[in-house]
Amino acid sequence: MFSDRFDAGRQLAARLAPMRDKAPVIIGLPTGGIPVAFEVAMALQAPLDILVVRKLRLPFEPAVVMGAIGERGARVLEAQVLTDSRVTIDELHAVEMRERAAMAERVARLCRSRPRVDLRGRTVIIVDDGMATGATAQVACQVARRAGAKRVVLAVPVGPADTVRHLMGAHELVCLYQPDDFGSVAQYYVNGEPVTDDDVAVLLDTASKREISTAAVLADH
């Protein structure tokens, strides 16, 4: 369906084009969402930033996601998974504390000395390369709201129809493809090579330089 994440970003940008007049901020979810978000930011001539989220996995079955956490203390839990798995409060707390420590380290590594974009009063478009359960998407929307975003739009190239119908947290959800027989995000990309932290840094730097250049041109006029 998509040749790679940049292709997905260009297709998503075409759908989001009417939002350019709202002067949005584009927020990519590392790492796979950054190439997609980069193309959206370029097309909408909008600033690009990241938002780090972490999945909470069952301690005895890491393939199963029981929730997600994000910056600013945001958290979303999968109630049914917690009930079925009988995870204790102590086990949940231990996993969350470990993931929050990992999240803080990753925020420092990815953002480096780069200033974060102020979301207060802005239209914020949160972009990922796809979603399955929607847990990370929901927690990302929570973070944006807590940061003062006026309107939160979640935009992904692909996601299961059931998740799209029931997702909460965003004022608007844009999803290009919503298959009923969704398997995994990776199956919708011909080239789904992992995105590294170095790749993320390069894309953020490129977007930042473009924004500075555009601001300079506007200042001259």
Side-chain angles (χ1 to χ4, degrees):
M1 194 166 293
F2 305 107
S3 60
D4 57 21
R5 292 180 178 86
F6 293 102
D7 173 44
R10 289 188 289 270
Q11 292 191 41
L12 194 58
R15 178 72 67 85
L16 295 169
M19 294 188 183
R20 178 176 173 179
D21 293 340
K22 299 183 182 297
V25 175
I26 311 303
I27 299 293
L29 303 186
T31 53
I34 303 304
V36 186
F38 175 82
E39 291 292 344
V40 174
M42 294 300 100
L44 273 59
Q45 296 187 350
L48 174 65
D49 202 354
I50 65 171
L51 195 160
V52 178
V53 295
R54 300 281 296 186
K55 292 178 180 177
L56 301 177
R57 300 180 182 277
L58 289 179
F60 44 82
E61 196 172 351
V64 179
V65 176
M66 59 179 175
I69 58 170
E71 300 174 61
R72 297 176 182 266
R75 181 178 77 167
V76 169
L77 298 177
E78 296 289 345
Q80 193 61 53
V81 174
L82 294 174
T83 299
D84 294 344
S85 63
R86 298 184 179 179
V87 173
T88 68
I89 293 176
D90 287 343
E91 288 172 330
L92 175 61
H93 179 73
V95 171
E96 182 173 351
M97 290 302 98
R98 183 179 69 245
E99 292 303 325
R100 286 206 177 276
M103 181 178 65
E105 187 276 333
R106 196 167 198 206
V107 169
R109 185 172 69 251
L110 291 177
C111 296
R112 301 176 184 178
S113 58
R114 185 182 299 107
R116 310 300 293 275
V117 179
D118 189 354
L119 306 185
R120 289 176 296 181
R122 304 290 295 273
T123 292
V124 175
I125 303 177
I126 297 173
V127 179
D128 205 354
D129 58 356
M131 64 179 179
T133 66
T136 53
Q138 286 190 58
V139 80
C141 291
Q142 276 191 21
V143 175
R145 286 174 176 270
R146 292 184 183 189
K150 179 181 180 181
R151 183 173 181 80
V152 178
V153 179
L154 177 65
V156 293
V158 61
D162 188 61
T163 298
V164 172
R165 282 194 296 269
H166 297 98
L167 190 78
M168 300 174 63
H171 294 97
E172 182 179 352
L173 195 159
V174 176
C175 183
L176 300 182
Y177 298 102
Q178 305 170 29
D180 289 314
D181 57 346
F182 182 89
S184 68
V185 171
Q187 76 182 65
Y188 295 93
Y189 289 88
V190 175
N191 179 0
E193 290 294 319
V195 180
T196 69
D197 288 349
D198 287 340
D199 295 332
V200 170
V202 169
L203 292 174
L204 290 175
D205 286 342
T206 301
S208 179
K209 290 175 182 176
R210 187 271 307 163
E211 187 179 357
I212 292 172
S213 177
T214 300
V217 170
L218 293 175
D220 288 341
H221 289 80

